Amino acid sequence: MSAALDVVDLHKSFATGRPAVDGVSFTVPAGEIVVLLGPSGCGKTTTLRCVAGLEHPTAGSISIGDRVVSAPGQGILVAPRHREIGMVFQSYAVWPHMTVRQNVVYPLKQRRTTRADADRKVAETLELVGLSEYADRSVVQLSGGQMQRVALARSLVYRPQLLLLDEPLSNLDAKLRLRLRDDLRRILKQTGMTALYVTHDQAEAVVLADRIGVMRDGKLLQMAPPADVYNRPADLFVANFTGASNLIEGRVAGRDGEFGVVEVKGGARVQAWLARSIAVGETVCVAVRPENVAIGTSNGSNAFTARIVGRRYQGTQTAYDIDLFGVRLEALELGTAARHEVGAEAPVSLSRDACWAYRDDKTATQE
Ligand SMILES: Nc1ncnc2c1ncn2[C@@H]1O[C@H](COP(=O)(O)OP(=O)(O)OP(=O)(O)O)[C@@H](O)[C@H]1O
Ligand SMILES: [Mg+2]
């Protein structure tokens, strides 16, 4: 049975350095997939290992279902093997001297499942991960993607309460990686498994997650459905890390509810969504995704004229560098034909819904 995971104010400090996990709280309801996303060293694996019981938290509490498995304040620490969780890691943790079937049946043998029950569960699980035809192959004859499917089958076959996955696709080549990524969501949803998945790859996070938690320096900055993280990033770091690479500096000239006007050096005025704490008169940074810079259209709330200063044809899309009131921005246009010439002037519009003003935090854009 899938169970909910509840992490409350988790802290983990190692002997040296800053805390690896610094006050992280979140809940994964039963059957939901949560992906922790963030740059290298932000504390994703440490959080996951605390949930697994492989790392002892410094403070906070972790519950799986209605059982507290870790609460150092109360002296509670349940051993990993008693947490009823499945785990899949980056390295293919399969037994090389065994066949696919022997690998997958192993956890059932340990749990003393009857032969008939085990046969049925193994057959179902191999079907689920697409390996039915490979049951009697030695795992060393499999591709990396297939080995990861074996590892996945082995952690699903006994239906743990919770599945933990740490960058399970990162050793695969690009094509296999995309295939397994798409399959993985279907497999997890089909089993109704509660899953906590860790990655630094935003595309992976978006495809797999019901909700994404963005981490930085041991802290959880935002936890929300993928479309919310993409369209209303909580702060400049989340915006930048998830691809809103264009930054326009200015000063807030007025606010009207959620939106406001930002005046840029030189006097241009950009309508933007303003983060909640931003006040009139403050210096801000407006983040915009290259995909949301529309060249050739002059409709919308922010219509300007820009000069095309660079063009990189990329096959299915073209990236342009444009000069907009003295600020260099990147624009991405989908399509197999490049429509604009370098040197030309073109109308450009930025929907105010896609311009987000945050307090100007220089450190947010350095990673
Ligand atoms: N056993 C350990 N001893 C000391 N420091 C550690 C240990 N494990 C992790 N850390 C430190 O804790 C911080 C968080 O590490 P963690 O492995 O959780 O990051 P991560 O987000 O998983 O990064 P990556 O994307 O590179 O896997 C890092 O600064 C790391 O150096
Ligand atoms: Mg890691």
Side-chain angles (χ1 to χ4, degrees), residues 203-224:
E204 219 168 279
V206 171
V207 171
L208 280 163
D210 291 313
R211 284 183 305 144
I212 297 176
V214 183
M215 290 185 70
R216 179 194 193 195
D217 292 346
K219 295 194 165 66
L220 186 60
L221 303 178
Q222 180 170 19
M223 169 79 83

PDB file of all heavy atoms in Angstrom, residues 203-224:
ATOM      1  N   ALA A 203      14.026  19.333 -17.163  1.00  0.00           N
ATOM      2  CA  ALA A 203      13.093  18.703 -18.104  1.00  0.00           C
ATOM      3  C   ALA A 203      12.536  17.412 -17.497  1.00  0.00           C
ATOM      4  O   ALA A 203      11.345  17.111 -17.603  1.00  0.00           O
ATOM      5  CB  ALA A 203      13.797  18.411 -19.425  1.00  0.00           C
ATOM      6  N   GLU A 204      13.427  16.663 -16.836  1.00  0.00           N
ATOM      7  CA  GLU A 204      13.014  15.434 -16.169  1.00  0.00           C
ATOM      8  C   GLU A 204      11.978  15.738 -15.076  1.00  0.00           C
ATOM      9  O   GLU A 204      10.969  15.049 -14.951  1.00  0.00           O
ATOM     10  CB  GLU A 204      14.259  14.840 -15.518  1.00  0.00           C
ATOM     11  CG  GLU A 204      14.370  13.345 -15.590  1.00  0.00           C
ATOM     12  CD  GLU A 204      15.780  12.952 -15.173  1.00  0.00           C
ATOM     13  OE1 GLU A 204      16.681  13.044 -16.025  1.00  0.00           O
ATOM     14  OE2 GLU A 204      15.974  12.592 -14.006  1.00  0.00           O
ATOM     15  N   ALA A 205      12.254  16.771 -14.314  1.00  0.00           N
ATOM     16  CA  ALA A 205      11.358  17.150 -13.209  1.00  0.00           C
ATOM     17  C   ALA A 205       9.972  17.491 -13.737  1.00  0.00           C
ATOM     18  O   ALA A 205       8.961  17.038 -13.209  1.00  0.00           O
ATOM     19  CB  ALA A 205      11.947  18.333 -12.439  1.00  0.00           C
ATOM     20  N   VAL A 206       9.931  18.266 -14.810  1.00  0.00           N
ATOM     21  CA  VAL A 206       8.645  18.726 -15.339  1.00  0.00           C
ATOM     22  C   VAL A 206       7.805  17.558 -15.845  1.00  0.00           C
ATOM     23  O   VAL A 206       6.606  17.485 -15.606  1.00  0.00           O
ATOM     24  CB  VAL A 206       8.877  19.747 -16.476  1.00  0.00           C
ATOM     25  CG1 VAL A 206       7.577  20.071 -17.191  1.00  0.00           C
ATOM     26  CG2 VAL A 206       9.492  21.003 -15.915  1.00  0.00           C
ATOM     27  N   VAL A 207       8.459  16.616 -16.548  1.00  0.00           N
ATOM     28  CA  VAL A 207       7.726  15.488 -17.123  1.00  0.00           C
ATOM     29  C   VAL A 207       7.216  14.547 -16.034  1.00  0.00           C
ATOM     30  O   VAL A 207       6.103  14.038 -16.104  1.00  0.00           O
ATOM     31  CB  VAL A 207       8.623  14.723 -18.121  1.00  0.00           C
ATOM     32  CG1 VAL A 207       7.965  13.428 -18.564  1.00  0.00           C
ATOM     33  CG2 VAL A 207       8.936  15.601 -19.321  1.00  0.00           C
ATOM     34  N   LEU A 208       8.039  14.324 -14.998  1.00  0.00           N
ATOM     35  CA  LEU A 208       7.704  13.293 -14.015  1.00  0.00           C
ATOM     36  C   LEU A 208       6.817  13.753 -12.868  1.00  0.00           C
ATOM     37  O   LEU A 208       6.024  12.968 -12.342  1.00  0.00           O
ATOM     38  CB  LEU A 208       8.999  12.750 -13.403  1.00  0.00           C
ATOM     39  CG  LEU A 208       9.715  11.723 -14.260  1.00  0.00           C
ATOM     40  CD1 LEU A 208      11.146  11.576 -13.791  1.00  0.00           C
ATOM     41  CD2 LEU A 208       8.985  10.387 -14.176  1.00  0.00           C
ATOM     42  N   ALA A 209       6.931  15.011 -12.516  1.00  0.00           N
ATOM     43  CA  ALA A 209       6.393  15.415 -11.212  1.00  0.00           C
ATOM     44  C   ALA A 209       4.915  15.755 -11.216  1.00  0.00           C
ATOM     45  O   ALA A 209       4.397  16.314 -12.183  1.00  0.00           O
ATOM     46  CB  ALA A 209       7.171  16.630 -10.704  1.00  0.00           C
ATOM     47  N   ASP A 210       4.245  15.420 -10.115  1.00  0.00           N
ATOM     48  CA  ASP A 210       2.969  16.058  -9.818  1.00  0.00           C
ATOM     49  C   ASP A 210       3.277  17.420  -9.199  1.00  0.00           C
ATOM     50  O   ASP A 210       2.630  18.400  -9.481  1.00  0.00           O
ATOM     51  CB  ASP A 210       2.155  15.215  -8.830  1.00  0.00           C
ATOM     52  CG  ASP A 210       1.689  13.926  -9.478  1.00  0.00           C
ATOM     53  OD1 ASP A 210       1.175  13.988 -10.606  1.00  0.00           O
ATOM     54  OD2 ASP A 210       1.854  12.859  -8.867  1.00  0.00           O
ATOM     55  N   ARG A 211       4.311  17.422  -8.338  1.00  0.00           N
ATOM     56  CA  ARG A 211       4.799  18.689  -7.800  1.00  0.00           C
ATOM     57  C   ARG A 211       6.326  18.676  -7.795  1.00  0.00           C
ATOM     58  O   ARG A 211       6.931  17.624  -7.567  1.00  0.00           O
ATOM     59  CB  ARG A 211       4.273  18.937  -6.382  1.00  0.00           C
ATOM     60  CG  ARG A 211       2.801  19.387  -6.399  1.00  0.00           C
ATOM     61  CD  ARG A 211       2.303  19.702  -5.020  1.00  0.00           C
ATOM     62  NE  ARG A 211       2.499  18.568  -4.143  1.00  0.00           N
ATOM     63  CZ  ARG A 211       2.819  18.684  -2.851  1.00  0.00           C
ATOM     64  NH1 ARG A 211       2.993  19.863  -2.304  1.00  0.00           N
ATOM     65  NH2 ARG A 211       2.989  17.607  -2.123  1.00  0.00           N
ATOM     66  N   ILE A 212       6.898  19.849  -8.037  1.00  0.00           N
ATOM     67  CA  ILE A 212       8.357  19.996  -8.019  1.00  0.00           C
ATOM     68  C   ILE A 212       8.734  20.811  -6.788  1.00  0.00           C
ATOM     69  O   ILE A 212       8.103  21.829  -6.501  1.00  0.00           O
ATOM     70  CB  ILE A 212       8.848  20.757  -9.277  1.00  0.00           C
ATOM     71  CG1 ILE A 212       8.536  19.975 -10.547  1.00  0.00           C
ATOM     72  CG2 ILE A 212      10.341  21.064  -9.190  1.00  0.00           C
ATOM     73  CD1 ILE A 212       8.896  20.717 -11.827  1.00  0.00           C
ATOM     74  N   GLY A 213       9.768  20.361  -6.072  1.00  0.00           N
ATOM     75  CA  GLY A 213      10.311  21.150  -4.978  1.00  0.00           C
ATOM     76  C   GLY A 213      11.682  21.654  -5.412  1.00  0.00           C
ATOM     77  O   GLY A 213      12.570  20.851  -5.689  1.00  0.00           O
ATOM     78  N   VAL A 214      11.853  22.962  -5.492  1.00  0.00           N
ATOM     79  CA  VAL A 214      13.143  23.503  -5.918  1.00  0.00           C
ATOM     80  C   VAL A 214      13.981  23.808  -4.677  1.00  0.00           C
ATOM     81  O   VAL A 214      13.522  24.511  -3.769  1.00  0.00           O
ATOM     82  CB  VAL A 214      12.985  24.769  -6.782  1.00  0.00           C
ATOM     83  CG1 VAL A 214      14.356  25.255  -7.275  1.00  0.00           C
ATOM     84  CG2 VAL A 214      12.057  24.515  -7.965  1.00  0.00           C
ATOM     85  N   MET A 215      15.201  23.243  -4.644  1.00  0.00           N
ATOM     86  CA  MET A 215      16.077  23.436  -3.489  1.00  0.00           C
ATOM     87  C   MET A 215      17.308  24.256  -3.851  1.00  0.00           C
ATOM     88  O   MET A 215      17.776  24.236  -4.984  1.00  0.00           O
ATOM     89  CB  MET A 215      16.558  22.075  -2.939  1.00  0.00           C
ATOM     90  CG  MET A 215      15.471  21.273  -2.263  1.00  0.00           C
ATOM     91  SD  MET A 215      16.123  19.756  -1.511  1.00  0.00           S
ATOM     92  CE  MET A 215      17.070  20.416  -0.129  1.00  0.00           C
ATOM     93  N   ARG A 216      17.795  24.957  -2.852  1.00  0.00           N
ATOM     94  CA  ARG A 216      19.073  25.676  -2.975  1.00  0.00           C
ATOM     95  C   ARG A 216      19.689  25.778  -1.594  1.00  0.00           C
ATOM     96  O   ARG A 216      18.986  26.148  -0.642  1.00  0.00           O
ATOM     97  CB  ARG A 216      18.808  27.079  -3.514  1.00  0.00           C
ATOM     98  CG  ARG A 216      20.072  27.893  -3.657  1.00  0.00           C
ATOM     99  CD  ARG A 216      19.747  29.349  -3.865  1.00  0.00           C
ATOM    100  NE  ARG A 216      20.918  30.057  -4.287  1.00  0.00           N
ATOM    101  CZ  ARG A 216      21.025  31.370  -4.284  1.00  0.00           C
ATOM    102  NH1 ARG A 216      20.026  32.119  -3.906  1.00  0.00           N
ATOM    103  NH2 ARG A 216      22.143  31.942  -4.678  1.00  0.00           N
ATOM    104  N   ASP A 217      20.970  25.483  -1.494  1.00  0.00           N
ATOM    105  CA  ASP A 217      21.697  25.614  -0.216  1.00  0.00           C
ATOM    106  C   ASP A 217      20.954  24.981   0.961  1.00  0.00           C
ATOM    107  O   ASP A 217      20.840  25.593   2.031  1.00  0.00           O
ATOM    108  CB  ASP A 217      21.945  27.096   0.108  1.00  0.00           C
ATOM    109  CG  ASP A 217      22.924  27.731  -0.859  1.00  0.00           C
ATOM    110  OD1 ASP A 217      23.607  26.978  -1.588  1.00  0.00           O
ATOM    111  OD2 ASP A 217      22.985  28.977  -0.899  1.00  0.00           O
ATOM    112  N   GLY A 218      20.414  23.785   0.758  1.00  0.00           N
ATOM    113  CA  GLY A 218      19.768  23.065   1.850  1.00  0.00           C
ATOM    114  C   GLY A 218      18.359  23.527   2.170  1.00  0.00           C
ATOM    115  O   GLY A 218      17.735  23.010   3.092  1.00  0.00           O
ATOM    116  N   LYS A 219      17.856  24.512   1.413  1.00  0.00           N
ATOM    117  CA  LYS A 219      16.511  25.031   1.692  1.00  0.00           C
ATOM    118  C   LYS A 219      15.566  24.731   0.530  1.00  0.00           C
ATOM    119  O   LYS A 219      15.988  24.692  -0.631  1.00  0.00           O
ATOM    120  CB  LYS A 219      16.577  26.542   1.905  1.00  0.00           C
ATOM    121  CG  LYS A 219      17.367  26.932   3.148  1.00  0.00           C
ATOM    122  CD  LYS A 219      17.116  28.391   3.499  1.00  0.00           C
ATOM    123  CE  LYS A 219      17.563  28.723   4.904  1.00  0.00           C
ATOM    124  NZ  LYS A 219      19.035  28.613   5.091  1.00  0.00           N
ATOM    125  N   LEU A 220      14.304  24.528   0.865  1.00  0.00           N
ATOM    126  CA  LEU A 220      13.274  24.315  -0.143  1.00  0.00           C
ATOM    127  C   LEU A 220      12.657  25.674  -0.458  1.00  0.00           C
ATOM    128  O   LEU A 220      12.064  26.305   0.408  1.00  0.00           O
ATOM    129  CB  LEU A 220      12.222  23.356   0.422  1.00  0.00           C
ATOM    130  CG  LEU A 220      11.125  22.884  -0.509  1.00  0.00           C
ATOM    131  CD1 LEU A 220      11.705  22.135  -1.703  1.00  0.00           C
ATOM    132  CD2 LEU A 220      10.161  21.976   0.250  1.00  0.00           C
ATOM    133  N   LEU A 221      12.824  26.134  -1.708  1.00  0.00           N
ATOM    134  CA  LEU A 221      12.385  27.485  -2.044  1.00  0.00           C
ATOM    135  C   LEU A 221      10.949  27.531  -2.519  1.00  0.00           C
ATOM    136  O   LEU A 221      10.239  28.512  -2.313  1.00  0.00           O
ATOM    137  CB  LEU A 221      13.274  28.063  -3.156  1.00  0.00           C
ATOM    138  CG  LEU A 221      14.767  28.116  -2.871  1.00  0.00           C
ATOM    139  CD1 LEU A 221      15.512  28.658  -4.073  1.00  0.00           C
ATOM    140  CD2 LEU A 221      15.034  28.974  -1.640  1.00  0.00           C
ATOM    141  N   GLN A 222      10.519  26.481  -3.220  1.00  0.00           N
ATOM    142  CA  GLN A 222       9.153  26.459  -3.745  1.00  0.00           C
ATOM    143  C   GLN A 222       8.756  25.013  -3.949  1.00  0.00           C
ATOM    144  O   GLN A 222       9.574  24.203  -4.404  1.00  0.00           O
ATOM    145  CB  GLN A 222       9.088  27.206  -5.088  1.00  0.00           C
ATOM    146  CG  GLN A 222       7.700  27.240  -5.706  1.00  0.00           C
ATOM    147  CD  GLN A 222       7.593  28.176  -6.917  1.00  0.00           C
ATOM    148  OE1 GLN A 222       8.618  28.536  -7.521  1.00  0.00           O
ATOM    149  NE2 GLN A 222       6.385  28.560  -7.260  1.00  0.00           N
ATOM    150  N   MET A 223       7.511  24.688  -3.647  1.00  0.00           N
ATOM    151  CA  MET A 223       7.002  23.342  -3.916  1.00  0.00           C
ATOM    152  C   MET A 223       5.647  23.542  -4.568  1.00  0.00           C
ATOM    153  O   MET A 223       4.708  24.032  -3.930  1.00  0.00           O
ATOM    154  CB  MET A 223       6.897  22.568  -2.602  1.00  0.00           C
ATOM    155  CG  MET A 223       6.161  21.257  -2.666  1.00  0.00           C
ATOM    156  SD  MET A 223       7.118  19.894  -3.333  1.00  0.00           S
ATOM    157  CE  MET A 223       8.047  19.359  -1.912  1.00  0.00           C
ATOM    158  N   ALA A 224       5.529  23.212  -5.843  1.00  0.00           N
ATOM    159  CA  ALA A 224       4.297  23.517  -6.578  1.00  0.00           C
ATOM    160  C   ALA A 224       4.222  22.653  -7.829  1.00  0.00           C
ATOM    161  O   ALA A 224       5.229  22.077  -8.253  1.00  0.00           O
ATOM    162  CB  ALA A 224       4.300  24.995  -6.962  1.00  0.00           C
TER     163      ALA A 224
END
